[in-house]
Amino acid sequence: MTINVLFLAAEAEPFIKVGGLGDVAGALPIAINRLSNQLDSSPKVDIRMVIPFHFAIKQRGFKPKLIGEFGVHNRKGIVKCQVYHDDHLGIPVYLLDGEPVDEKSPVYAPDPILDGYKFVFFSMAALGLPTFLDWRMDILHGNDWHTAAAIYALKNFDMPPVHLSGAKTVHTLHNLPYMGFGVQQALMDYGLPPSRNPLLPEWARHTPLPLGLLHANQIVAVSPHYAEEILTPEFGCGLEDFLQTRTSALKGILNGLDTETWNPETDSEIIQNFSISNIVLRTKNKHHLQQKFDLLVSEETPLLTLISRMDPQKGIDIVLRGLQYCQDLPWQMIILGTGDPSVEKMARELESTYPDRVRTVIDFDNQLAHQLYAGADMFMMPSRYEPCGLSQMIAMRYGCIPIARATGGLVDTIEHISHRINGGTGFLFDKPYPSTFAQTLRRAIRLYQRPASWRKIQINGMQTDFSWEKSAQEYIDTYQHLVQEQQ
Ligand code: GLC
């Protein structure tokens, strides 16, 4: 049996990556394809990726092959969609173009109207693709709000085209607060009226993400813990009561990590490669950073790092304020990131307050990020919410111990260091308060002063399996289950 899966996302590596969605959309279909090719007994999965042919992809020099054109209906007539084809590590990728995509705008436009037309057109065009390719679709797999309209539209057909008939839907939630607000007109123009379903709050009946979640046969949050959190008022963004009605269709599947790119043994961006068997070499990376940033070169002083998009979600202010409660302790800190100007300003101010121990780099610097993972002792991840999170997994793989807020995927990937000797891979703190963070940092610094225990925790993290295979298997099981339900 072959299951045909159309995998839709707004961004995917290597074509374009803005955030974590791009990592996942670039890696998960590949992992599913690899696994399906390996297994004899399991179903085969013919997974095909679909992304918009963003202007930024053109600028980056990708030259996929134009394979044809078809029309997408909207209220004003027909909008043409050009289909480009490429291959990414063995799977077909379709890049869809057309007037609403071909705006010379960024991947995500600040204007919700432009964004709305782009992604609603994209979603509707993706539904035209199976017919265009003469390829029967068994599963439509959407991601985030940008592609949720496709799931709603599929349910809205009076008579679906034959290539779509009987298809089941999976929707992966990477970030609930981004629902696609303000795109009601685009939905209407493409023939998608508001829902009348009373389970949805009024405002959600014309908002793409909730509409997709209303009809998806399976909702997948990117971690089991996030799947539970979104059922509560703190994380549910007003959809918690509605989501409570969909719990039988909701589960969490943890994202994986690209363990080839992120491998301290082979990483060419770092000064000194290392592995569990020669972890002592890691110190060279730390000393290099201390020298490079003109900090005191010392093994006894723990070097902290924070590498993040500077966005309120990431809770960076919690760490910046919390450190002030820890002035009496030995620590140094290197901060790397860009984003919200007020957070950037706070990070710069911390450097002015502690010129002998803090360095702030307002930049996106991939190489420095690798070096920080490889050389720093502790990794700060104080997220207010974190559906899955990737950096904590990278940090653990590089022997940099995470100090993270106990939320979402951080809970599922970091094993909290309990009082049990030698257990755990990192520190989790509960409330998003500077004082709670500070208490946890104190504990971490105390433990750092016991090198043998510290080493054990580093090794626990480095041994953890974060590869994509496990997630890929869970998604394949999900597809199979849905397809069998149909019979
Ligand atoms: C979003 C979430 C992040 C998650 C990523 C990929 O960026 O904020 O937690 O890891 O999507 O699923």
Side-chain angles (χ1 to χ4, degrees):
M1 178 177 57
T2 300
I3 305 178
N4 289 347
V5 181
L6 201 62
F7 185 92
L8 273 47
E11 49 172 297
E13 280 257 77
F15 301 95
I16 189 78
K17 179 192 137 166
V18 180
L21 171 63
D23 289 307
V24 175
L28 174 61
I30 306 300
I32 289 174
N33 178 53
R34 280 202 185 134
L35 197 63
S36 133
N37 283 337
Q38 270 171 24
L39 303 175
D40 294 332
S41 53
S42 259
K44 295 281 168 218
V45 180
D46 177 357
I47 186 161
R48 303 185 178 199
M49 259 162 82
V50 194
I51 55 174
F53 197 2
H54 297 287
F55 183 58
I57 302 181
K58 296 171 192 161
Q59 276 179 319
R60 297 183 66 203
F62 283 93
K63 297 220 164 24
K65 186 166 175 276
L66 180 65
I67 57 168
E69 185 178 82
F70 63 85
V72 180
H73 288 268
N74 84 1
R75 247 190 354 198
K76 292 170 197 144
I78 285 180
V79 189
K80 285 188 179 143
C81 169
Q82 293 82 39
V83 183
Y84 291 81
H85 173 263
D86 208 333
D87 176 274
H88 171 40
L89 301 174
I91 69 167
V93 181
Y94 301 101
L95 298 103
L96 304 186
D97 208 351
E99 184 260 309
V101 177
D102 192 23
E103 296 289 342
K104 301 229 175 327
S105 62
V107 174
Y108 303 112
D111 174 358
I113 310 252
L114 273 186
D115 238 18
Y117 277 100
K118 180 186 208 169
F119 289 114
V120 174
F121 164 75
F122 171 67
S123 299
M124 299 307 284
L127 286 183
L129 200 57
T131 310
F132 171 80
L133 297 171
D134 189 16
W135 176 83
R136 189 199 75 251
M137 173 176 85
D138 298 311
I139 302 276
L140 174 68
H141 187 159
N143 291 277
D144 279 354
W145 79 264
H146 324 97
T147 53
I151 293 182
Y152 184 51
L154 190 61
K155 291 287 162 183
N156 255 322
F157 279 121
D158 292 331
M159 256 258 279
V162 56
H163 291 84
L164 308 184
S165 86
K168 296 287 176 105
T169 52
V170 176
H171 199 71
T172 299
L173 257 184
H174 302 260
N175 209 329
L176 184 63
Y178 296 87
M179 298 198 200
F181 294 110
V183 311
Q184 180 173 11
Q185 194 55 47
L187 292 175
M188 293 291 282
D189 284 358
Y190 281 89
L192 299 172
S195 166
R196 295 211 193 90
N197 194 311
L199 291 177
L200 284 178
E202 221 290 310
W203 56 265
R205 294 181 200 169
H206 49 74
T207 308
L209 183 63
L211 290 172
L213 299 179
L214 178 66
H215 291 296
N217 297 107
Q218 179 70 57
I219 303 172
V220 180
V222 286
S223 68
H225 200 73
Y226 193 55
E228 285 172 22
E229 283 177 337
I230 57 177
L231 301 173
T232 66
E234 188 183 351
F235 298 96
C237 305
L239 290 183
E240 56 279 5
D241 291 343
F242 155 68
L243 287 168
Q244 292 276 0
T245 69
R246 298 242 50 213
T247 47
S248 60
L250 169 67
K251 67 173 164 188
I253 300 180
L254 207 55
N255 292 333
L257 172 72
D258 175 351
T259 47
E260 280 162 34
T261 304
W262 297 106
N263 182 355
E265 260 185 279
T266 52
D267 189 333
S268 57
E269 307 285 2
I270 65 179
I271 300 299
Q272 174 66 57
N273 291 111
F274 61 96
S275 64
I276 293 177
S277 58
N278 59 13
I279 192 171
V280 284
L281 294 178
R282 194 177 185 279
T283 313
K284 282 201 183 165
N285 293 312
K286 174 172 177 178
H287 289 171
H288 169 78
L289 286 168
Q290 288 173 321
Q291 268 155 8
K292 179 168 164 178
F293 286 93
D294 198 19
L295 294 165
L296 176 71
V297 177
S298 139
E299 189 44 30
E300 287 72 47
T301 314
L303 175 59
L304 324 185
T305 192
L306 192 158
I307 308 170
S308 177
R309 209 164 18 92
M310 295 194 169
D311 178 302
Q313 172 192 346
K314 299 296 178 184
I316 296 165
D317 51 301
I318 298 167
V319 164
L320 301 182
R321 286 183 225 277
L323 284 171
Q324 326 222 355
Y325 295 102
C326 301
Q327 295 182 35
D328 56 313
L329 297 172
W331 52 264
Q332 301 164 333
M333 168 97 163
I334 303 174
I335 304 167
L336 171 64
T338 59
D340 187 321
S342 66
V343 186
E344 288 182 357
K345 182 163 168 268
M346 250 181 108
R348 283 206 191 89
E349 281 167 4
L350 195 77
E351 175 171 334
S352 337
T353 316
Y354 301 106
D356 53 337
R357 43 162 125 182
V358 177
R359 296 291 176 269
T360 298
V361 183
I362 302 294
D363 197 1
F364 179 87
D365 183 336
N366 183 48
Q367 186 182 36
L368 178 57
H370 281 250
Q371 296 184 350
L372 288 167
Y373 286 117
D377 299 298
M378 302 180 197
F379 186 82
M380 310 296 117
M381 201 151 173
S383 308
R384 294 206 152 75
Y385 72 93
E386 195 64 74
C388 180
L390 194 61
S391 322
Q392 81 280 13
M393 295 192 243
I394 303 173
M396 285 182 271
R397 193 156 156 78
Y398 280 65
C400 183
I401 293 180
I403 302 186
R405 165 97 197 284
T407 183
L410 298 171
V411 174
D412 294 314
T413 49
I414 300 171
E415 193 197 331
H416 182 58
I417 293 165
S418 60
H419 296 283
R420 194 163 49 89
I421 308 285
N422 292 342
T425 60
F427 295 85
L428 291 168
F429 61 96
D430 251 339
K431 298 277 175 233
Y433 306 147
S435 55
T436 336
F437 160 73
Q439 270 167 13
T440 311
L441 179 62
R442 262 177 199 282
R443 244 194 99 197
I445 293 179
R446 267 204 307 275
L447 194 73
Y448 182 78
Q449 284 152 357
R450 291 172 23 211
S453 309
W454 192 261
R455 181 64 25 101
K456 182 70 186 86
I457 289 151
Q458 286 180 300
I459 291 172
N460 290 346
M462 291 173 77
Q463 278 171 336
T464 309
D465 178 8
F466 293 119
S467 64
W468 268 107
E469 275 87 76
K470 195 165 166 285
S471 325
Q473 184 63 60
E474 288 186 57
Y475 275 103
I476 294 180
D477 293 345
T478 305
Y479 298 154
Q480 190 173 17
H481 183 75
L482 290 174
V483 172
Q484 278 165 353
E485 247 180 15
Q486 200 169 320
Q487 288 153 1

